[in-house]
Amino acid sequence: MEGAMVQAEAAKGRGLGLSELAPRVVQSEIRAMTVESDRVGGVNLAQGVCDTEVPDVVAEGAIKAIRDGHNIYTRLDGIPRLRRAIAEKTERMQGLVVDPEREVLVTSGATGAFHAVAMALFDPGDEVLLFEPFYGYHVGTLRSLRVVPVAVELEGPDWKLNVDRVRAAITPKTRAVVVNTPSNPAGKIFTRAELEALAEVAREHDLFVLTDEIYEHFVYGDAKHVSPAVIEGMRERTIVMSGYSKTFSVTGWRIGYVIADAKWVGAIGYFHDLLYVCAPSPFQHGVADGIEQLGQTFYARLALEHEVKRTMILSALKDAGMTPHVPDGAYYVLASTAGLEHVLEGTNAAERSRSLLKKTGVAAVAGSAFFRAGKGEDLLRFCFAKKDEDLEEACRRLRGLR
């Protein structure tokens, strides 16, 4: 009785309020710039919404699924046809043999995949290494679960991996390394040699490797996408996360997936079910139609189309007086604004991004959103996954900056 009274008094003393974590959370700079762009009617190159055309077979497949009554919950791991299609595509394109019944989980986007994976594998206080520049949602998700993100700097200007820095960052609390390849925001593609070096570290320290491969089909020039899961000795400890939000231009559909050893998938699926129940049923059918019916020609054309868009934005940024980093993959460009102090107002990246929007009507994201505090302040990130007419207009406006 006395213990219950003490607990009641403690609860009464706390009163109404936010969690310990919530007051330290601020809106994503990416989302903030989207809101600001919408407010002024700008061209939004801030958020990776990927508003290019949806393949007809994908859109019609989802519409047909709705009309055919596929509007209720699916199994928590997704419809069998989609899991089979993902497994077959993975074997065909990566040479990775996957069991669709035990090793594939359909998720609510790659973001939902990452959240469920983190819940299943990590405890509060665990440490996870990420490469800088990093994707802010990876950092935010880990922090929301009281897991400690530890940034490991990639070496510019080509964002090369320094394995010695990885080793130096490992502590007894380190549980995993996150690899985003191709990466957001830098367009970095980890080479096979880099992944093999990282695999050696992971095996030596018994670490998971979480690999976000959502941009796997956006690869340019001679670059090649390699999944860490295909590196020798990495199959068991690698958790692959990807999806079709970007590939099929359906970012609002939230269709992603996890590929992992069967021993991990059960727990990951449990937490995904707890958070999301399942990915939207009719959209699973539409994506399955797309994977089944759109072959290698589609993926090759997708890369070529975005390589043209990459050329457009790089040219415009140079003409505007910025120095862009040329991405090997994904559909983002980090560009330095050094030397534009007389044109763009502000002393940091957030202020300069708002100045750029005010002067040109083009929204970009502050580079500081992808770095630890005090870094990336001369950088802006631009997304070029836009319809040609919108990208052309944005390039025209950017060239008017000078």
Side-chain angles (χ1 to χ4, degrees):
M1 176 67 73
E2 183 177 340
M5 291 177 63
V6 170
Q7 290 179 356
E9 286 300 316
K12 188 187 302 182
R14 178 178 175 182
L16 300 179
L18 296 170
S19 73
E20 179 185 288
L21 182 67
R24 292 180 281 140
V25 174
V26 296
Q27 183 185 34
S28 154
E29 183 68 11
I30 299 172
R31 299 299 186 270
M33 285 306 298
T34 291
V35 170
E36 190 63 15
S37 179
D38 289 345
R39 186 183 70 81
V40 302
V43 181
N44 185 7
L45 303 190
Q47 189 173 355
V49 294
C50 194
D51 59 3
T52 48
E53 294 298 328
V54 180
D56 287 342
V57 64
V58 176
E60 293 303 320
I63 293 168
K64 183 177 184 299
I66 292 171
R67 290 174 175 161
D68 288 347
H70 296 292
N71 302 303
I72 59 174
Y73 301 138
T74 71
R75 275 176 38 166
L76 69 86
D77 55 354
I79 63 173
R81 186 164 67 95
L82 178 53
R83 286 184 281 109
R84 286 195 299 270
I86 291 168
E88 290 168 2
K89 188 272 298 185
T90 300
E91 182 175 0
R92 185 172 65 252
M93 301 190 76
Q94 289 288 334
L96 187 66
V97 178
V98 178
D99 181 352
E101 292 300 319
R102 301 171 62 246
E103 297 182 316
V104 179
L105 170 70
V106 178
T107 62
S108 184
T111 302
F114 189 83
H115 199 158
V117 166
M119 291 184 75
L121 301 185
F122 308 136
D123 293 317
D126 284 346
E127 295 178 358
V128 174
L129 308 186
L130 306 96
F131 295 107
E132 183 183 58
F134 46 68
Y135 177 47
Y137 269 50
H138 291 157
V139 171
T141 297
L142 293 172
R143 285 178 175 161
S144 76
L145 299 173
R146 273 69 172 185
V147 177
V148 181
V150 177
V152 178
E153 183 180 7
L154 294 172
E155 294 182 345
D158 299 322
W159 314 113
K160 291 182 179 180
L161 174 69
N162 184 322
V163 179
D164 290 337
R165 288 182 177 176
V166 177
R167 292 184 183 279
I170 294 173
T171 76
K173 294 183 178 180
T174 307
R175 293 273 289 138
V177 180
V178 175
V179 177
N180 183 198
T181 184
S183 82
N184 174 9
K188 154 78 174 175
I189 294 180
F190 284 77
T191 65
R192 178 176 285 274
E194 288 177 324
L195 293 175
E196 288 174 346
L198 192 59
E200 182 179 342
V201 174
R203 291 191 298 266
E204 179 183 338
H205 292 274
D206 200 20
L207 305 177
F208 282 108
V209 173
L210 277 54
T211 173
D212 183 340
E213 303 178 17
I214 192 70
Y215 301 103
E216 62 184 298
H217 300 298
F218 299 86
V219 177
Y220 313 121
D222 296 328
K224 303 292 183 185
H225 169 66
V226 178
S227 173
V230 306
I231 303 298
E232 184 178 356
M234 291 300 291
R235 181 70 164 79
E236 179 185 14
R237 66 180 68 252
T238 301
I239 313 294
V240 178
M241 297 163 288
S242 191
Y244 278 84
S245 294
K246 316 293 185 176
T247 305
F248 290 160
S249 302
V250 288
T251 53
W253 285 20
R254 315 311 303 137
I255 302 295
Y257 61 85
V258 168
I259 292 175
D261 190 282
K263 66 169 63 74
W264 317 125
V265 169
I268 298 168
Y270 169 81
F271 286 109
H272 186 270
D273 176 47
L274 193 65
L275 290 165
Y276 306 103
V277 180
C278 65
S281 176
F283 297 151
Q284 291 191 47
H285 287 269
V287 168
D289 283 345
I291 302 173
E292 291 169 349
Q293 299 179 44
L294 296 172
Q296 182 58 37
T297 301
F298 168 80
Y299 297 110
R301 185 174 68 248
L302 181 73
L304 286 173
E305 289 174 351
H306 282 77
E307 193 163 3
V308 171
K309 296 177 190 291
R310 181 186 68 160
T311 299
M312 290 171 61
I313 191 67
L314 289 173
S315 175
L317 291 170
K318 291 175 183 176
D319 289 346
M322 301 184 208
T323 304
H325 297 266
V326 180
D328 289 324
Y331 48 58
Y332 305 100
V333 175
L334 281 174
S336 172
T337 61
L340 290 178
E341 293 84 357
H342 62 294
V343 179
L344 294 177
E345 300 167 359
T347 58
N348 59 44
E351 291 173 352
R352 289 186 182 187
S353 66
R354 284 157 178 78
S355 176
L356 179 71
L357 179 61
K358 180 180 178 181
K359 290 177 179 292
T360 67
V362 175
V365 180
S368 53
F370 310 101
F371 292 83
R372 286 165 287 183
K375 300 179 65 178
E377 294 294 0
D378 68 326
L379 297 173
L380 298 179
R381 191 201 73 173
F382 297 83
C383 170
F384 56 86
K386 307 292 292 183
K387 295 175 182 176
D388 284 346
E389 57 269 27
D390 292 333
L391 186 58
E392 288 168 359
E393 175 61 16
C395 290
R396 185 190 67 78
R397 295 185 184 192
L398 286 170
R399 286 190 171 94
L401 182 64
R402 301 187 76 178

